[in-house]
Amino acid sequence: MAIDFNIMAGGEAGQGVQSVGMILAKAMAHGGLHVFADQDYESRVRGGHNFFRIRASDRDVLALSEELDILVALNKETIGLHSNELKSNGVIIYDQEQTKVDVQGGIYFNVPLAKLAEEKAKNKLMTNTVAVGAAAGLAGYDFNILASVLRNEFARHGEKIAEDNVVAAKAGFDFALEYGAQKLSQKIKPTSGNNKRMLLHGNEAIALGAMVGGCKFIAGYPMTPATSILEYIADKGRQYSAVAVHVEDEISAMNMAVGAGYAGARAMVATSGGGFCLMVEGLALAGMTETPVVVVLGQRPGPATGLPTRTEQGELWFALHAGHGEFPRAILAPATAEEAFYAMIKAFNLAEKYQTPVLVLTDHHLATSYATVERFDLKAVKIDRGELISDEESSRLNDYKRHLVTESGISPRALPGQGKALVVTDSDEHDEAGHMIEDGETRNQQNLKRLRKQDSLKAEIGSPKLHKTRNAEFTLIGWGSTYGAIREAADLLKKDGMPVNVLHISEIWPFPAEAISSALSKGTKSIVIESNATAQMANLIRRETGYKVNGTILKYDGRPFSPQEIVDRMKKEVT
Amino acid sequence: MVTVKDYAESIPIAWCPGCGNFAILQALRKALVELKTEPHQVLFVSGIGQAPKLPHYMQGNVFNGLHGRTLPAATGAKIANHELIVIGIDGDGGAYGEGVGHLLAAMRRNVNITYMAHNNQVYGLTKGQASPTSDLGFVTRTTPLGAGQPANPLALALSSDVSFLARGFAGDVEHLSELLKMGIEHRGFSLIDILQPCVSFNHKNTYQWYRERVYKLEDEGYDPGDKIGAFAKAQEWGDRIPIGLIYSKERPVYEEQLPALKKGPLVKQKIDPLQFEALLDEFM
Ligand SMILES: Cc1ncc(C[n+]2csc(CCOP(=O)(O)OP(=O)(O)O)c2C)c(N)n1
Ligand code: SF4
Ligand SMILES: [Mg+2]
């Protein structure tokens, strides 16, 4: 029987919900299971309600399921809010004394978490670790794996604290075995064999992908959901030679990255919609000066400050059109953490090859959801710096023209200070040498030269993924982070006797119009599923292919789609 | 040997005859030649305005970016390749208006950049509107009631603990050139405010007006290490206007603190994807 196990931990901000969830998720991943996990939190540091959901399976999992096997309730509110998500045979772990919940029996499993922490580990702060152990025990998981994860997690606090945490977890684990073994019939076992995967969230994949892809410079101003990218590179860059500058504002961030890119460092910014608004003039600057720069735009619901800690795909058209004037750009919208890693490498390559900005469009859901992925293959990573002039060539260059008009539109790129070549560029319209001009003919030449790059850039864009099912009546179309929910919905629909195809777009611009037209011309009804209120992708498809889709399923409450929700809405709204 | 000719312009200069910018251009060429700096070693970064056109009339690497955004671009380029001598050039509108937030941040950060603010107390390029440093009551088409309280860039810089602050005058090329040399040689951020007559749009603060008022601090036994004294000088405007080195202080230089630059400029460090296996391990 396939394993598909779902755990949620819930409590107030500041109660450690995230760490309970992460330790359980890691323990599952270390046992060779596939894991998908996400966190739901409010824009506050204390209080409120937070939860962390984990799904573990022996097969690939791409989204969360709404049916819980175990709910770890660190406070009373969690029980009230989530007990209806429990399977009929699921169990709630809670501490009756701490939560002041007066219920017994059935789905409720009272574990004296705080008391066990005090008695066994002599430290009340380890209450959450007892809860982790209790969940693992209830699920019948392997304690040794959990212990090794705990030792790893707490190693930096010293051996004593690490071992005390193991003791605390064991107390919860044993308690669950002794008093709860009969409560939960479904169990989760590590898989046999050595198939460990990486467990990371989308932003970690992005930051790693950036560094592996040669990013040497990031400038940023904290903004959810992009902040952790800046933080990661600030931390690891010290050892791996990348600089992260926490700047005064996003205007500065963008212009700084463009300055670094001009000088020859692979440079990026990462922000959300509000910050990107401030970067837009600088984006056009990169277009005009033909400077490579990579922009990660982590979407969240807008307009304005919107819902800071929630998700949306409301900035597709903004990303497409941001910047004054006309210039080439590429937009990648990775569907998963794994795609996000490789998308960053591709983004840096495209930015340098075509000497123009590249946007990586993500959202809060992708940025903060954890997933297990096969270890990234660094040997397969190719760095392509495009027509970069070698040091040797540059020292021989006289009369270098940074914006030389060529057939491809790409001008060989020298770097300032590399040799004797003087690298001149201007945000004013300029001539081949980079000096400002006014005459119409030079303007036309330079404008067309820049726009010609878009033609060859088009060939670099990968076709959408098409998953076919026999006798499909519908094709579900998605882009970016909705992939997991749509794929799993397709599986569920098939079981329900409603086979569908899935067409997923992860590389958006230049628009893969031919591939999409051909996928849509096969006679199925096309339904675009996206997290916004105005059907931006459906409209883009119409604009670029002339094809009007048959329907849309839209969601804009700030919460990610769940597979079941798509299934229900397919049945209700579409058929 | 590098000479002034090596810095001669290759395109026609588009400033009005008599503009103070010509003298500043001359002073900058002189300073670079005397420092034995070759054009390919220098990066000029500028924004938009009359003053920011200057790099086009020099020889060197040029990044002429957006209005008011000179310092971020210059900072990015300097961090990417700290072997470049980076000189930022803006008007008073770009430096003290549109880009003033970046100026504050750059002074605090203390990256080794020299920033020249050609202060003509007016917007030249857009044809004569008031600037942040226009004198109180200066009437222009956007300020028919007269300009409001002027900004005090020197006091602003001192309050941010700028590590080098000077004021020059386009009417004294020798003196200005010395200040530029000191600014370029200074380790850390240097702001050089330059009184620049605009013959087309500022008929108040003319060559004559400045000449009658400016005096050199070094002639008065002034101590540029004294911050309180510097604040006092920063308040002087009207009958007497001080020029010269206002304040200088050694402070840690931003890029010298960066571990990532220990192995040399970022742009010269090889990109090697294989070095990251240990980072992947952290997620296993
Ligand atoms: C974002 C933006 N706003 C406005 C302008 C128009 N503009 C160009 S230069 C300038 C002011 C120029 O004054 P200053 O910086 O003092 O330079 P000057 O021409 O006096 O040397 C303005 C308002 C612009 N280019 N960009
Ligand atoms: S308008 Fe003023 S600042 Fe501009 S070139 Fe003419 S004199 Fe110089
Ligand atoms: Mg001015």
Short mmCIF file of all heavy atoms in Angstrom, two decimals, chain A residues 313-344:
data_model
loop_
_atom_site.label_atom_id
_atom_site.label_comp_id
_atom_site.label_asym_id
_atom_site.label_seq_id
_atom_site.Cartn_x
_atom_site.Cartn_y
_atom_site.Cartn_z
N GLN A 313 -0.53 35.15 -8.20
CA GLN A 313 0.18 35.26 -9.48
C GLN A 313 -0.37 36.47 -10.22
O GLN A 313 -0.78 36.37 -11.36
CB GLN A 313 -0.02 34.00 -10.31
CG GLN A 313 0.56 32.74 -9.67
CD GLN A 313 0.30 31.51 -10.52
OE1 GLN A 313 -0.84 31.23 -10.90
NE2 GLN A 313 1.35 30.76 -10.84
N GLY A 314 -0.35 37.61 -9.56
CA GLY A 314 -1.00 38.79 -10.12
C GLY A 314 -0.08 39.71 -10.88
O GLY A 314 -0.50 40.79 -11.30
N GLU A 315 1.19 39.31 -11.07
CA GLU A 315 2.13 40.25 -11.67
C GLU A 315 2.72 39.78 -12.98
O GLU A 315 3.80 40.23 -13.41
CB GLU A 315 3.22 40.59 -10.63
CG GLU A 315 2.69 41.61 -9.64
CD GLU A 315 3.28 41.51 -8.25
OE1 GLU A 315 4.42 41.02 -8.12
OE2 GLU A 315 2.60 41.90 -7.30
N LEU A 316 2.01 38.88 -13.65
CA LEU A 316 2.51 38.39 -14.93
C LEU A 316 2.60 39.54 -15.95
O LEU A 316 3.63 39.74 -16.59
CB LEU A 316 1.60 37.28 -15.44
CG LEU A 316 1.88 36.77 -16.85
CD1 LEU A 316 3.29 36.21 -16.97
CD2 LEU A 316 0.87 35.68 -17.24
N TRP A 317 1.52 40.30 -16.04
CA TRP A 317 1.53 41.38 -17.04
C TRP A 317 2.44 42.52 -16.62
O TRP A 317 3.01 43.22 -17.45
CB TRP A 317 0.09 41.87 -17.32
CG TRP A 317 -0.60 40.93 -18.29
CD1 TRP A 317 -0.82 39.61 -18.09
CD2 TRP A 317 -1.10 41.24 -19.59
NE1 TRP A 317 -1.45 39.07 -19.19
CE2 TRP A 317 -1.64 40.05 -20.12
CE3 TRP A 317 -1.16 42.40 -20.36
CZ2 TRP A 317 -2.21 39.98 -21.39
CZ3 TRP A 317 -1.75 42.34 -21.62
CH2 TRP A 317 -2.26 41.14 -22.13
N PHE A 318 2.57 42.69 -15.32
CA PHE A 318 3.51 43.70 -14.82
C PHE A 318 4.93 43.32 -15.23
O PHE A 318 5.69 44.13 -15.76
CB PHE A 318 3.36 43.78 -13.29
CG PHE A 318 4.24 44.80 -12.62
CD1 PHE A 318 4.64 45.97 -13.26
CD2 PHE A 318 4.65 44.61 -11.30
CE1 PHE A 318 5.44 46.92 -12.61
CE2 PHE A 318 5.44 45.55 -10.65
CZ PHE A 318 5.83 46.69 -11.30
N ALA A 319 5.28 42.05 -15.02
CA ALA A 319 6.63 41.60 -15.38
C ALA A 319 6.86 41.73 -16.89
O ALA A 319 7.94 42.09 -17.34
CB ALA A 319 6.83 40.15 -14.93
N LEU A 320 5.80 41.44 -17.64
CA LEU A 320 5.91 41.51 -19.11
C LEU A 320 6.18 42.93 -19.60
O LEU A 320 6.90 43.13 -20.57
CB LEU A 320 4.58 41.09 -19.74
CG LEU A 320 4.36 39.63 -20.02
CD1 LEU A 320 2.91 39.42 -20.44
CD2 LEU A 320 5.30 39.15 -21.12
N HIS A 321 5.57 43.90 -18.93
CA HIS A 321 5.60 45.27 -19.47
C HIS A 321 6.37 46.25 -18.62
O HIS A 321 6.46 47.43 -18.99
CB HIS A 321 4.17 45.76 -19.68
CG HIS A 321 3.44 44.92 -20.68
ND1 HIS A 321 3.77 44.95 -22.01
CD2 HIS A 321 2.48 44.00 -20.55
CE1 HIS A 321 3.00 44.08 -22.65
NE2 HIS A 321 2.22 43.48 -21.78
N ALA A 322 6.92 45.80 -17.51
CA ALA A 322 7.62 46.74 -16.62
C ALA A 322 8.76 47.40 -17.37
O ALA A 322 9.52 46.75 -18.09
CB ALA A 322 8.16 45.99 -15.40
N GLY A 323 8.88 48.69 -17.18
CA GLY A 323 9.97 49.43 -17.82
C GLY A 323 9.42 50.29 -18.93
O GLY A 323 8.53 49.88 -19.67
N HIS A 324 9.96 51.51 -19.05
CA HIS A 324 9.52 52.40 -20.11
C HIS A 324 10.31 52.12 -21.37
O HIS A 324 11.47 51.74 -21.34
CB HIS A 324 9.62 53.87 -19.68
CG HIS A 324 10.93 54.27 -19.05
ND1 HIS A 324 11.56 53.52 -18.08
CD2 HIS A 324 11.71 55.34 -19.26
CE1 HIS A 324 12.68 54.11 -17.72
NE2 HIS A 324 12.80 55.22 -18.42
N GLY A 325 9.64 52.33 -22.49
CA GLY A 325 10.30 52.04 -23.76
C GLY A 325 10.26 50.56 -24.07
O GLY A 325 9.66 49.76 -23.36
N GLU A 326 10.89 50.20 -25.18
CA GLU A 326 10.84 48.83 -25.67
C GLU A 326 12.22 48.20 -25.64
O GLU A 326 13.17 48.76 -26.18
CB GLU A 326 10.30 48.85 -27.10
CG GLU A 326 8.91 49.49 -27.19
CD GLU A 326 8.49 49.80 -28.62
OE1 GLU A 326 9.21 50.55 -29.31
OE2 GLU A 326 7.43 49.31 -29.03
N PHE A 327 12.32 47.07 -25.01
CA PHE A 327 13.61 46.36 -24.95
C PHE A 327 13.36 44.88 -24.72
O PHE A 327 12.30 44.51 -24.21
CB PHE A 327 14.50 46.96 -23.86
CG PHE A 327 13.89 46.96 -22.47
CD1 PHE A 327 14.10 45.90 -21.61
CD2 PHE A 327 13.10 48.02 -22.04
CE1 PHE A 327 13.54 45.90 -20.32
CE2 PHE A 327 12.53 48.02 -20.76
CZ PHE A 327 12.76 46.96 -19.90
N PRO A 328 14.31 44.05 -25.10
CA PRO A 328 14.08 42.61 -24.94
C PRO A 328 14.24 42.16 -23.49
O PRO A 328 14.96 42.78 -22.72
CB PRO A 328 15.18 41.98 -25.81
CG PRO A 328 16.23 43.02 -25.93
CD PRO A 328 15.58 44.36 -25.77
N ARG A 329 13.55 41.09 -23.16
CA ARG A 329 13.66 40.50 -21.83
C ARG A 329 13.27 39.03 -21.93
O ARG A 329 12.60 38.62 -22.88
CB ARG A 329 12.74 41.22 -20.85
CG ARG A 329 11.27 40.85 -21.02
CD ARG A 329 10.35 41.67 -20.15
NE ARG A 329 10.24 43.04 -20.65
CZ ARG A 329 9.88 44.08 -19.91
NH1 ARG A 329 9.57 43.91 -18.65
NH2 ARG A 329 9.82 45.28 -20.44
N ALA A 330 13.67 38.28 -20.94
CA ALA A 330 13.16 36.91 -20.82
C ALA A 330 12.48 36.80 -19.47
O ALA A 330 12.88 37.45 -18.51
CB ALA A 330 14.31 35.90 -20.92
N ILE A 331 11.44 35.98 -19.40
CA ILE A 331 10.75 35.72 -18.14
C ILE A 331 10.63 34.21 -17.93
O ILE A 331 10.06 33.51 -18.77
CB ILE A 331 9.34 36.35 -18.11
CG1 ILE A 331 9.43 37.86 -18.36
CG2 ILE A 331 8.66 36.07 -16.77
CD1 ILE A 331 8.06 38.54 -18.45
N LEU A 332 11.19 33.74 -16.85
CA LEU A 332 11.08 32.33 -16.48
C LEU A 332 10.19 32.24 -15.25
O LEU A 332 10.26 33.10 -14.37
CB LEU A 332 12.46 31.75 -16.16
CG LEU A 332 13.56 32.00 -17.20
CD1 LEU A 332 14.90 31.40 -16.73
CD2 LEU A 332 13.17 31.41 -18.55
N ALA A 333 9.34 31.22 -15.19
CA ALA A 333 8.45 31.07 -14.04
C ALA A 333 8.51 29.62 -13.57
O ALA A 333 7.64 28.81 -13.89
CB ALA A 333 7.02 31.45 -14.41
N PRO A 334 9.55 29.28 -12.81
CA PRO A 334 9.73 27.89 -12.41
C PRO A 334 8.52 27.35 -11.63
O PRO A 334 7.90 28.07 -10.86
CB PRO A 334 10.98 27.92 -11.53
CG PRO A 334 11.17 29.36 -11.15
CD PRO A 334 10.58 30.16 -12.26
N ALA A 335 8.25 26.06 -11.87
CA ALA A 335 7.08 25.43 -11.27
C ALA A 335 7.38 24.82 -9.91
O ALA A 335 6.49 24.69 -9.08
CB ALA A 335 6.56 24.34 -12.21
N THR A 336 8.63 24.42 -9.71
CA THR A 336 9.00 23.69 -8.50
C THR A 336 10.35 24.21 -8.00
O THR A 336 11.05 24.93 -8.71
CB THR A 336 9.17 22.20 -8.80
OG1 THR A 336 10.23 22.07 -9.77
CG2 THR A 336 7.91 21.57 -9.36
N ALA A 337 10.71 23.78 -6.80
CA ALA A 337 12.01 24.18 -6.25
C ALA A 337 13.13 23.70 -7.17
O ALA A 337 14.11 24.42 -7.41
CB ALA A 337 12.19 23.60 -4.84
N GLU A 338 12.97 22.50 -7.69
CA GLU A 338 14.01 21.96 -8.58
C GLU A 338 14.15 22.83 -9.83
O GLU A 338 15.25 23.22 -10.22
CB GLU A 338 13.65 20.53 -8.96
CG GLU A 338 14.72 19.86 -9.79
CD GLU A 338 14.52 18.36 -9.85
OE1 GLU A 338 13.40 17.90 -9.54
OE2 GLU A 338 15.48 17.66 -10.21
N GLU A 339 13.02 23.16 -10.43
CA GLU A 339 13.08 24.03 -11.61
C GLU A 339 13.67 25.40 -11.26
O GLU A 339 14.36 26.01 -12.07
CB GLU A 339 11.68 24.23 -12.20
CG GLU A 339 11.22 23.08 -13.07
CD GLU A 339 9.95 23.42 -13.86
OE1 GLU A 339 9.58 24.60 -14.02
OE2 GLU A 339 9.32 22.46 -14.31
N ALA A 340 13.37 25.86 -10.05
CA ALA A 340 13.85 27.19 -9.65
C ALA A 340 15.38 27.23 -9.65
O ALA A 340 15.99 28.21 -10.07
CB ALA A 340 13.29 27.56 -8.28
N PHE A 341 15.98 26.15 -9.17
CA PHE A 341 17.45 26.08 -9.13
C PHE A 341 18.01 26.22 -10.55
O PHE A 341 18.86 27.06 -10.83
CB PHE A 341 17.87 24.74 -8.52
CG PHE A 341 19.35 24.48 -8.57
CD1 PHE A 341 20.19 25.03 -7.61
CD2 PHE A 341 19.90 23.69 -9.57
CE1 PHE A 341 21.56 24.79 -7.65
CE2 PHE A 341 21.28 23.45 -9.62
CZ PHE A 341 22.10 24.01 -8.65
N TYR A 342 17.51 25.40 -11.46
CA TYR A 342 18.05 25.43 -12.83
C TYR A 342 17.64 26.70 -13.57
O TYR A 342 18.38 27.19 -14.44
CB TYR A 342 17.64 24.16 -13.58
CG TYR A 342 18.29 22.92 -12.98
CD1 TYR A 342 17.57 22.02 -12.21
CD2 TYR A 342 19.66 22.68 -13.15
CE1 TYR A 342 18.17 20.91 -11.62
CE2 TYR A 342 20.28 21.58 -12.57
CZ TYR A 342 19.53 20.69 -11.82
OH TYR A 342 20.14 19.61 -11.24
N ALA A 343 16.49 27.25 -13.20
CA ALA A 343 16.05 28.50 -13.85
C ALA A 343 17.02 29.64 -13.55
O ALA A 343 17.27 30.50 -14.40
CB ALA A 343 14.64 28.87 -13.38
N MET A 344 17.56 29.65 -12.35
CA MET A 344 18.49 30.73 -12.02
C MET A 344 19.76 30.65 -12.87
O MET A 344 20.28 31.66 -13.33
CB MET A 344 18.86 30.68 -10.53
CG MET A 344 17.76 31.13 -9.60
SD MET A 344 17.08 32.77 -9.98
CE MET A 344 18.44 33.84 -9.54
#
